[in-house]
Structures are given as C-alpha cells and as structure tokens.
Amino acid sequence: MNPNASDLLTIGSRQFHSRLLTGTGKFKDLAETEAATQAAGAQIVTVAIRRSNIGQNPDEPNLLDVLPPERYTILPNTAGCYTAEDAVRTCKLARELLDGHNLVKLEVLGDAKTLYPDVVATLKAAELLVADGFEVMVYTSDDPILCKRLEEIGCVAVMPLAAPIGSGLGIQNKYNLLTIIENAKVPIIVDAGVGTASDAAIAMELGCDGVLMNTAIAAAQNPVLMASAMKKAIEAGREAFLAGRMPRRRYASASSPVDGLFL
Amino acid sequence: MNPNASDLLTIGSRQFHSRLLTGTGKFKDLAETEAATQAAGAQIVTVAIRRSNIGQNPDEPNLLDVLPPERYTILPNTAGCYTAEDAVRTCKLARELLDGHNLVKLEVLGDAKTLYPDVVATLKAAELLVADGFEVMVYTSDDPILCKRLEEIGCVAVMPLAAPIGSGLGIQNKYNLLTIIENAKVPIIVDAGVGTASDAAIAMELGCDGVLMNTAIAAAQNPVLMASAMKKAIEAGREAFLAGRMPRRRYASASSPVDGLFL
Amino acid sequence: MNPNASDLLTIGSRQFHSRLLTGTGKFKDLAETEAATQAAGAQIVTVAIRRSNIGQNPDEPNLLDVLPPERYTILPNTAGCYTAEDAVRTCKLARELLDGHNLVKLEVLGDAKTLYPDVVATLKAAELLVADGFEVMVYTSDDPILCKRLEEIGCVAVMPLAAPIGSGLGIQNKYNLLTIIENAKVPIIVDAGVGTASDAAIAMELGCDGVLMNTAIAAAQNPVLMASAMKKAIEAGREAFLAGRMPRRRYASASSPVDGLFL
Amino acid sequence: MNPNASDLLTIGSRQFHSRLLTGTGKFKDLAETEAATQAAGAQIVTVAIRRSNIGQNPDEPNLLDVLPPERYTILPNTAGCYTAEDAVRTCKLARELLDGHNLVKLEVLGDAKTLYPDVVATLKAAELLVADGFEVMVYTSDDPILCKRLEEIGCVAVMPLAAPIGSGLGIQNKYNLLTIIENAKVPIIVDAGVGTASDAAIAMELGCDGVLMNTAIAAAQNPVLMASAMKKAIEAGREAFLAGRMPRRRYASASSPVDGLFL
C-alpha cells in the first residue's frame, strides 16, 4: 500500500499521483523514451514543440505513438524561444496540434549558453498566454519576488530552476526555494538542475510539489534504471517531507536542536 | 518489477534484498516498532542487548514477539559498552540468548556525550570476537585506515558513522566515505548520522552497501511514514549508483564536465 | 609592503585601493560608525538617504561629520524604496544634498520581509538614472541575464546579493556568481548576505571585485574588531584569487585534479 | 595597530604572535621558500627530517641558511614514517641535529596513497616521545576521542587534518573540529587539507588556534602572494572568531536566528 495514495498534485484543472514530470528529449530513441517514461511513473511529459514531432511531420516517427495523450498529459514547452512573441506563437501552435489542449510550459530563454530564463520576457509572455486562456506552467529563476508575481498573473504552476538546465549541479539556493514555497498558493515544481536521485529527494524535502527533469535521466549511463531511481527518490522526499524529519542535533545527548549553529 | 531484484547484499554467510538496516530502540511502543520496521522493509534489525528485552526478563514484553527471528535477522549490538571487555561479554550474552546466533554489531563507545567510538578498544574487541567465532559488523569512525584494518581483522561488515549517533546531521565527510568504499572488500554500511531521506540516498549514491538508522525514523513526527521514505530513498540511491549519474556541467552547452571546479 | 598595491578597483570615473565597501546604518552611535569604518579601511561608504541625516535635518547629528566627503566617497543609496519612481526621486535628492555628486547605489525592493529586489522596477529605475547622468551602482538578484542587462544599460557596477540583506547566510549560489563575473565588463560587487570573514574571502576568491556589507560588521559582538577582520578577509581573498589556488585533489598522490568529482 | 597584538598562541613552553605555521617542502628552491615564509609571517616552520637538509649533508644547501633557527622556531617532523619506531628514531635524530631542541611534530602515516595517519601507531609514538622529554605536536585524524587522548598523553598541541595532506579540499568535517576544540586544553592546529585563503579563515572562525599548511602555498601559481593571502586569512579568521559573528537569519526581518533550520 502506498502510504500517500491520497496525496495528489493539483495543477490547474488536473490532478496527478505522480510528482515526477519528465522531459522527452535527449533519449537515444523512442523506445528508450517510452521505457524511461514508464520507469519514472511520469503522468506529465513535456515536449519541446520546436524539436519534437507530435504530428507536424506526418511522415516521421511521432512521439505521441509511444507517449499517447490518452495515457499521459502532454505538456508542450517553448524550449528554444528567446522572445515573448516566439513563445506565445509556439504555445498556439501546440494548442492547434493537440486539439485545443491548453496546458503549456512556458520558457523564454535569455542566453543560449546557460539557458537561463529571460524573466522580463517571461513575465510578458505569461500575461499574454493567461489572457488567451492557457493554463501556464512557467520556468523561471529562483527569484522569490518574480515567482510570486508569476502566480499573481495567473500561472497554474511556477517552476524555478535548481541549477542551470542540463547541469546536474543540484539545488544551489535552498533558502530561495524555501521562500518561494512558503509564499506560494500554486504548485512549485523544480525545473532544471537535478543531477541524481538525492537532488530530487532534497527538492521534495524542502516542500516542492514536484520536480521536472530530463538530462538527469537521459544522460545517465542506464536511463531506465535512473528513471526508476528518480521515481523512488521523489516519493521518498515527499514522504520525508510529510513525515516531518527529526531535528538536527550536535549529538544525541544535546538537550536542544542545533540553534542557529550550522556549519 | 524491481529493476535490481538480483542486487543482493551479502554479509558474512547471509544474503539480503534490503539494504536498510533499522534500530529497534527509541520507538513509542512495540506496535510502532513493528509498523515502522515493516514499512522500512528491513530484514536486519539491530537490538541493544543492554536495553532491550529479548528474553532476559521473561515477564516483560519481548521485542522478539513483534520482530520474530524467523522473519528478521536479529543483530544484537553492544550499545552502552565503553570497554572491549564489556562489549565482548555482551556479545556472548547475546549469543546465549539467541541460541548460538553469531552475527553481532560491535560498538565500543569513547564518550557518553557524543557516542563517538573508541577505535582502539574497538580494534581490540573485534579481534577477540572474530577469534571467538563471531561474525562481526563493526561501528567505527570514518577513518579509512582503521576501516581497512577492521576488515583485515576479519569483520564481515564495516560501519563508519556519517555523523554522531542521533544527530541527524547527514554525511559530514563524503571523501572519507568514498575512500573507505574504494578500499573495501566487505560491505560498508553507514551507521549513524542520517537525518532524512536524502541523506540515505546520498550514502547509497556514494557506493555504500547499506545504511543503518534508528533515530531518523523513530524521532520523525510520523515514524512509519518516514520508514517508508527511507526504504524508497535507499532503493533510489542504490539504483542511482548502479545507473551511473550524468556528469556535472556548468551548463548544458559546456563541452566538458566540470573540471576540478567545484564550488 | 602590500603585494597588491597597484591592484585598483575602478568604478566609473573613480579609483580605489579598498575593495571593502561598508554601510553606515545599524551601528550603536556615530562613534562606533567612525571607528568601524576606519578599521574596515573603507573608502566607499553607503548612506541610506531616507534614514540617515547628511544635512536634511540641520539640528541633528550629521553622519558626514564622522565620515567627511573629503575622505570618503559617499555612496547614497535608495534603501526603503519600493518603486522606480521613489528610487529615482531619492537619488535626485541625494545629488542635491551632496552638491552634484552623481554616484549612487540603486536598490528597489520587492518585499519588506526579505528585502529581495524587484528586478523589473530596478531595470526601469536604472535606465532613468543613467539617462539623467547618474553613475549607478545597482543592487540586484544573482540572475546572470539581469546582471548583464544592467551593465548594458550603463550601470557602472553591478551588485548581486549573496544571500538576503541582513541574513549573514553567506554566498548561496556560487555558480551564478561565477557566471556573472565571467560575463562582466564592469565591477561585480557582492552586496548583502555576507556574515563573517570567510564569506567575504570566498566572494573575492570567486573573482568578485569587491564586497559591500553592513550587518556583518555592525551586528558582530565587537563591530570594530570584525571590521578589521573583514578588511583582512577581503585582501586575503583578493590575493588568493590573484595568486591562483592549488588544484583540488583527492589526496597528494593523485595524478590529476579532482575530475568533475565533487562531493 | 594590530587589534589583537596581545592575542598569543602558547605551545608548550613557547609563545607566538603568528598562528600560521608553514611547511618548507614543495617550493621551487630555497629562495622561494624564504620569500614565501616571510610573506606568510610564519614563526614556526616545519621541516621533514627525512627529506630536508638541516645539516645532515654538509656539502649541500642547508635549509637553515634561509630559515635560521635564531629567527624561526624549527619544527622537525616525521613525514614519511610509517611506524612508531621510525617516528621516534627520526625525532631523536632531529634533536641531535638541532642541539637538543625538543619540539617536534609527530606524524605516523597509515598509507602512502592518502597520507592518512595511523592513529594507533601515533598514540604509541606520542607516549614514547613524551616520556623521553619531547614537546610533541601531533598530526592525527579528526576523531574527537583520539584528539583528547593525545592531549591526555601530554602532547603540547593536537593537529587534526581538515582533509587529506596535499588535497586542498578544505575542511570536511566542521562538527568534528568544533567538538575537538570544545574539548581541548591544548592548542588545536589544523594540519593538512587547506586549499585557499577562505579555508584557513574558516578553520580559525571555528576556534582553531592555528593552521599549518604547505601545499596550499607552494602549489599556488604565485606562492609568495598566496603566502600573504594566508597570513591575512588566518588573522581575519582569528579576529572574526574573537569579534563574535552576527547570528544567521533567513532575512533581516526574522525575529530570531535560524533555529535548527540549516540547509
């Protein structure tokens, strides 16, 4: 029995058991994409509209053949967009291709080298998309003020990076992430920067609602086994968060928790 | 299907599927001990002979009623012993109480405040116990030289601390732990210091063969849920270790992994 | 002899020997302000125009009596401003009070609780101030894209936070800071978050051009001694940066530096 | 004026202003040894009797020509010794060569690869040397129990490693170091593992009485400048320790220090 079977993740109008969202790029082939996605237990899979074929090219292999929309919530993303206009256009294209599907992941990049977001353009695109009826999940920096503003604009989930996309460096600024979580009324989903299972667990222990990853799975030596590791790590971190961890002490006999002494 | 069903932990003459070893003290009552141990999926449970009733006091509740030796490998430990002699005597008592059972966890403490081991007395006790036919799992500091010596003496598993017993501080010296693992021909099992799920995952990702914990589960607000978290974290960390994590990079476009640059 | 006597910090049209900029608030009294500033060896001192008397109230003690502009470069700041308009107005007031002095430190806050910047309003205010002839040093988040944009607007120094103002948590995101430094053509000065001497040294070792601090000195038990510590830490970190640190290795006999293995 | 001019380090029967002890090996030549030692402001310099010529080879350059015993306290060390007997013999040789000088640095190594100490042999050698009238400063692991025992044997200073010799990894286990310091009645001097200036500052901020280093200076690209950096870092860390750092807070407006919340 899963101890937290009733612990659901609500994003906009949808609900999910899984808190591990996966990317679909960077895998060797569609068979690996399928196997890794299944091992991850993902229910939401994100698709880079500019790079993946979900029907634009009828003669080529279609990602949706291995990740059918009946089974997965397809989350089109705007990877590769550097302006608000481009991102908005890409979301509209996705909506057409997916028969009116309105859930999208917005990312507007500031720099091809680091793939860090352009937060000003992101704010602008988010406003346009919300006004146009999209349910917007939004990739952003870990700036607590901006994350709150994106929520106020009407985004259904805010997705701060933990470290640069594709870096695998793990969570760099836990205090920022904690502040973002404390302030939020929508789900906070770490997007980018997770490198291994413990990174994902840490994100969840901080109180994140989910984690989205791609490279950490696809660039492991054994992607399918790493996908399984990530599934368990996300559940472990979530349960640890819900279970309430023991206080840290210098040693067992210490009469009180570590008081502001952290080394 | 468990992706690593054939990945067994061999300790002396025994084999185990679970890599999470749990303590039996510090729980509210025997019912909680039982429920948490089950949720942890533990196969080896350690029992402080000086503090737990496994038959010494026939009129009191017996720990073995909820953790029957037919189902669990009982690992008597010498918690509370401060000399080699005391520890050896305690192991012999355990062997008698458990009908010749020869697997023990040796700990000789140096200090009641920190519960740090007395490594000199530990070495001495280990020699005596091995000579007397015990299969010795041994709690020690994270000193790579001592860990190797304990293996050479004939201990069947070496159990360095990650941080002080009962502290929940997490792994303090990852480089030492890695060196210990690289040098070892017997299982290295982190004993003490884990505080939450990600700590356990990190230990496994470093290549540890298992983790033993008690306070991290028993002192959580919800011990049974934390036990489940720990089970998944140990599996997640093990699978991530076996899967081979992605290399760290400054950002996705970096042509090579982070070269000696670690911040 | 100071090994780096010729190693000057150039900010806009001015040059400095000292790379430690200090705040003037939070001290017990003006005598302590004076003593700590001297012990810090600061040449640039920042003054919150909305909170400090530099002549607005002719009948009250004037900060400039202990920190005379002939000796210190006074850096008026806009602490307490939450809109671009307020910040611009405050800078203009400062310029009047200081007889045309055009060097200012811009901060536009997003939140009274965390004192995190409002980066959108900061960008707007920076544009207005640069257009009005100010030399703008600008407090911001550690977002590499925004830091570059502030430089492109014409700011003479960019001042990312290391951690929240007044937190003393030390540098949270070293990778971001390093990326900001690598991208920059103007001085990068860590503003906010330093708590003790080693934090300041780390900032300089990363390649920052300077550090601005207030609480770390003023809230130490002995502010004047801490000011001296900070002076030395800044110099130590700068010299270590210029000297080029040894590569990290697992141990002395390792044939190569730690390759992407960082724990 | 040095704010802590009266803050002396007492080791056995000697007193020192400088808290930075330096090694003399690994430099390019004697001229660099001399220049770096001067820049470091070291008063105690340690000499590997098995590798350095302090008179054993009358026809070769003598280290004492550039580091004259009238000016520096020469601290012979037993680097390269792997048994208690060897170490004791080496100390006696040093005493002869140095006309009865009885201050020595004991190290008994356990492993040529990591240069980690053999703590059992170290204890034995320390007892023999103390009984023979030596003032023993002793390199050891960061095991709090062993450090206390070495003090009880009569060592005049205990020198735990921060990380492996020559690694430059910085302090790995701050909690152990802090416990060692809290327990000690003799000076605790970090020996080995420091890589850059901030590492040295951190050691001093924890309350160490001094730091001994060699590779961090000698293997820097500019050893003399790094020596100057280290001098300042040691003083900065010491002053910060004495000054009493500000408490850490999540942000300035937090009503209380970070309570056991450390990320």
PDB file of all heavy atoms in Angstrom, chain C residues 21-34:
ATOM      1  N   LEU C  21      33.434  47.805   0.812  1.00  0.00           N
ATOM      2  CA  LEU C  21      32.523  48.944   0.918  1.00  0.00           C
ATOM      3  C   LEU C  21      31.650  48.688   2.142  1.00  0.00           C
ATOM      4  O   LEU C  21      31.179  47.559   2.347  1.00  0.00           O
ATOM      5  CB  LEU C  21      31.652  49.038  -0.331  1.00  0.00           C
ATOM      6  CG  LEU C  21      32.355  49.345  -1.669  1.00  0.00           C
ATOM      7  CD1 LEU C  21      33.163  48.166  -2.182  1.00  0.00           C
ATOM      8  CD2 LEU C  21      31.326  49.775  -2.712  1.00  0.00           C
ATOM      9  N   THR C  22      31.403  49.712   2.918  1.00  0.00           N
ATOM     10  CA  THR C  22      30.639  49.471   4.138  1.00  0.00           C
ATOM     11  C   THR C  22      29.387  50.330   4.195  1.00  0.00           C
ATOM     12  O   THR C  22      29.332  51.424   3.645  1.00  0.00           O
ATOM     13  CB  THR C  22      31.489  49.746   5.395  1.00  0.00           C
ATOM     14  OG1 THR C  22      32.008  51.070   5.326  1.00  0.00           O
ATOM     15  CG2 THR C  22      32.643  48.751   5.507  1.00  0.00           C
ATOM     16  N   GLY C  23      28.418  49.784   4.889  1.00  0.00           N
ATOM     17  CA  GLY C  23      27.217  50.538   5.191  1.00  0.00           C
ATOM     18  C   GLY C  23      27.426  51.353   6.443  1.00  0.00           C
ATOM     19  O   GLY C  23      28.373  51.118   7.214  1.00  0.00           O
ATOM     20  N   THR C  24      26.535  52.292   6.657  1.00  0.00           N
ATOM     21  CA  THR C  24      26.718  53.193   7.789  1.00  0.00           C
ATOM     22  C   THR C  24      25.570  53.093   8.796  1.00  0.00           C
ATOM     23  O   THR C  24      25.598  53.736   9.838  1.00  0.00           O
ATOM     24  CB  THR C  24      26.803  54.646   7.290  1.00  0.00           C
ATOM     25  OG1 THR C  24      25.613  54.918   6.521  1.00  0.00           O
ATOM     26  CG2 THR C  24      28.024  54.842   6.404  1.00  0.00           C
ATOM     27  N   GLY C  25      24.598  52.258   8.495  1.00  0.00           N
ATOM     28  CA  GLY C  25      23.474  52.108   9.415  1.00  0.00           C
ATOM     29  C   GLY C  25      23.776  51.042  10.445  1.00  0.00           C
ATOM     30  O   GLY C  25      24.836  50.425  10.448  1.00  0.00           O
ATOM     31  N   LYS C  26      22.847  50.847  11.345  1.00  0.00           N
ATOM     32  CA  LYS C  26      22.877  49.719  12.283  1.00  0.00           C
ATOM     33  C   LYS C  26      23.957  49.810  13.356  1.00  0.00           C
ATOM     34  O   LYS C  26      24.037  48.925  14.217  1.00  0.00           O
ATOM     35  CB  LYS C  26      23.023  48.394  11.520  1.00  0.00           C
ATOM     36  CG  LYS C  26      21.873  48.178  10.547  1.00  0.00           C
ATOM     37  CD  LYS C  26      21.925  46.837   9.864  1.00  0.00           C
ATOM     38  CE  LYS C  26      20.846  46.783   8.792  1.00  0.00           C
ATOM     39  NZ  LYS C  26      21.007  45.668   7.872  1.00  0.00           N
ATOM     40  N   PHE C  27      24.803  50.815  13.309  1.00  0.00           N
ATOM     41  CA  PHE C  27      25.785  50.943  14.388  1.00  0.00           C
ATOM     42  C   PHE C  27      25.118  51.585  15.617  1.00  0.00           C
ATOM     43  O   PHE C  27      24.080  52.228  15.514  1.00  0.00           O
ATOM     44  CB  PHE C  27      26.989  51.777  13.935  1.00  0.00           C
ATOM     45  CG  PHE C  27      27.858  51.056  12.934  1.00  0.00           C
ATOM     46  CD1 PHE C  27      27.782  51.357  11.580  1.00  0.00           C
ATOM     47  CD2 PHE C  27      28.735  50.062  13.348  1.00  0.00           C
ATOM     48  CE1 PHE C  27      28.565  50.678  10.653  1.00  0.00           C
ATOM     49  CE2 PHE C  27      29.530  49.380  12.433  1.00  0.00           C
ATOM     50  CZ  PHE C  27      29.442  49.687  11.086  1.00  0.00           C
ATOM     51  N   LYS C  28      25.755  51.401  16.744  1.00  0.00           N
ATOM     52  CA  LYS C  28      25.227  51.888  18.025  1.00  0.00           C
ATOM     53  C   LYS C  28      25.131  53.408  18.034  1.00  0.00           C
ATOM     54  O   LYS C  28      24.149  53.993  18.470  1.00  0.00           O
ATOM     55  CB  LYS C  28      26.190  51.429  19.130  1.00  0.00           C
ATOM     56  CG  LYS C  28      25.703  51.490  20.529  1.00  0.00           C
ATOM     57  CD  LYS C  28      26.762  50.886  21.477  1.00  0.00           C
ATOM     58  CE  LYS C  28      28.141  51.517  21.260  1.00  0.00           C
ATOM     59  NZ  LYS C  28      29.205  50.935  22.099  1.00  0.00           N
ATOM     60  N   ASP C  29      26.179  54.039  17.539  1.00  0.00           N
ATOM     61  CA  ASP C  29      26.214  55.500  17.521  1.00  0.00           C
ATOM     62  C   ASP C  29      27.243  55.948  16.487  1.00  0.00           C
ATOM     63  O   ASP C  29      27.887  55.119  15.853  1.00  0.00           O
ATOM     64  CB  ASP C  29      26.552  56.049  18.907  1.00  0.00           C
ATOM     65  CG  ASP C  29      27.815  55.427  19.485  1.00  0.00           C
ATOM     66  OD1 ASP C  29      28.732  55.071  18.703  1.00  0.00           O
ATOM     67  OD2 ASP C  29      27.886  55.269  20.711  1.00  0.00           O
ATOM     68  N   LEU C  30      27.370  57.229  16.320  1.00  0.00           N
ATOM     69  CA  LEU C  30      28.285  57.730  15.284  1.00  0.00           C
ATOM     70  C   LEU C  30      29.741  57.413  15.603  1.00  0.00           C
ATOM     71  O   LEU C  30      30.555  57.203  14.694  1.00  0.00           O
ATOM     72  CB  LEU C  30      28.093  59.237  15.092  1.00  0.00           C
ATOM     73  CG  LEU C  30      26.808  59.651  14.367  1.00  0.00           C
ATOM     74  CD1 LEU C  30      26.763  61.171  14.173  1.00  0.00           C
ATOM     75  CD2 LEU C  30      26.696  58.954  13.017  1.00  0.00           C
ATOM     76  N   ALA C  31      30.070  57.331  16.884  1.00  0.00           N
ATOM     77  CA  ALA C  31      31.456  56.998  17.244  1.00  0.00           C
ATOM     78  C   ALA C  31      31.807  55.590  16.770  1.00  0.00           C
ATOM     79  O   ALA C  31      32.899  55.349  16.236  1.00  0.00           O
ATOM     80  CB  ALA C  31      31.642  57.114  18.760  1.00  0.00           C
ATOM     81  N   GLU C  32      30.869  54.681  16.967  1.00  0.00           N
ATOM     82  CA  GLU C  32      31.130  53.322  16.500  1.00  0.00           C
ATOM     83  C   GLU C  32      31.181  53.266  14.973  1.00  0.00           C
ATOM     84  O   GLU C  32      31.995  52.546  14.396  1.00  0.00           O
ATOM     85  CB  GLU C  32      30.050  52.367  17.031  1.00  0.00           C
ATOM     86  CG  GLU C  32      30.380  50.902  16.801  1.00  0.00           C
ATOM     87  CD  GLU C  32      29.308  49.981  17.355  1.00  0.00           C
ATOM     88  OE1 GLU C  32      28.266  49.789  16.676  1.00  0.00           O
ATOM     89  OE2 GLU C  32      29.490  49.452  18.459  1.00  0.00           O
ATOM     90  N   THR C  33      30.294  54.022  14.343  1.00  0.00           N
ATOM     91  CA  THR C  33      30.320  54.105  12.880  1.00  0.00           C
ATOM     92  C   THR C  33      31.703  54.527  12.404  1.00  0.00           C
ATOM     93  O   THR C  33      32.291  53.932  11.498  1.00  0.00           O
ATOM     94  CB  THR C  33      29.275  55.137  12.385  1.00  0.00           C
ATOM     95  OG1 THR C  33      28.012  54.836  12.966  1.00  0.00           O
ATOM     96  CG2 THR C  33      29.168  55.120  10.867  1.00  0.00           C
ATOM     97  N   GLU C  34      32.213  55.543  13.028  1.00  0.00           N
ATOM     98  CA  GLU C  34      33.516  56.083  12.630  1.00  0.00           C
ATOM     99  C   GLU C  34      34.627  55.054  12.873  1.00  0.00           C
ATOM    100  O   GLU C  34      35.455  54.788  11.992  1.00  0.00           O
ATOM    101  CB  GLU C  34      33.800  57.361  13.431  1.00  0.00           C
ATOM    102  CG  GLU C  34      35.116  58.019  13.046  1.00  0.00           C
ATOM    103  CD  GLU C  34      35.342  59.321  13.818  1.00  0.00           C
ATOM    104  OE1 GLU C  34      34.700  59.509  14.877  1.00  0.00           O
ATOM    105  OE2 GLU C  34      36.166  60.133  13.357  1.00  0.00           O
TER     106      GLU C  34
END
